[in-house]
Amino acid sequence: MPILNISPEALKGLLEEYASRDGTDYGLVEVTIDEKTKILREQLERGELSILFDEETQEFDIVMREQMESFGAV
């Protein structure tokens, strides 16, 4: 899903929700939610990450672009 198709408010909420999930730690360094969302946004803008959305379940995930290509979704 191209990030241009998502309103800025919705994208911000999506990134904040994803960044606060368990397993999104950045190691020994404490990183705030704002910093995490900034990093995610930059990676999305560079095309390193993609948003995967399931219309049936209304759930999303953010995955590496290579994962999307392996699904044939790019």
Side-chain angles (χ1 to χ4, degrees):
M1 169 184 294
I3 62 171
L4 298 175
N5 293 347
I6 304 171
S7 73
E9 298 81 18
L11 180 60
K12 183 178 188 286
L14 184 142
L15 294 176
E16 288 175 350
E17 193 279 327
Y18 183 83
S20 66
R21 290 181 183 177
D22 289 338
T24 58
D25 291 337
Y26 284 71
L28 299 175
V29 178
E30 280 292 319
V31 179
T32 67
I33 293 292
D34 287 340
E35 291 170 314
K36 287 181 185 181
T37 58
K38 181 179 181 246
I39 291 166
L40 288 168
R41 177 184 285 275
E42 290 169 353
Q43 290 175 308
L44 285 165
E45 289 171 352
R46 287 193 302 265
E48 296 170 7
L49 298 176
S50 294
I51 299 171
L52 190 64
F53 181 73
D54 184 326
E55 289 187 26
E56 186 175 313
T57 64
Q58 297 291 299
E59 294 178 352
F60 78 94
D61 201 359
I62 297 177
V63 299
M64 297 295 294
R65 183 167 181 84
E66 294 82 25
Q67 289 175 290
M68 291 288 287
E69 290 170 355
S70 72
F71 292 130
V74 175

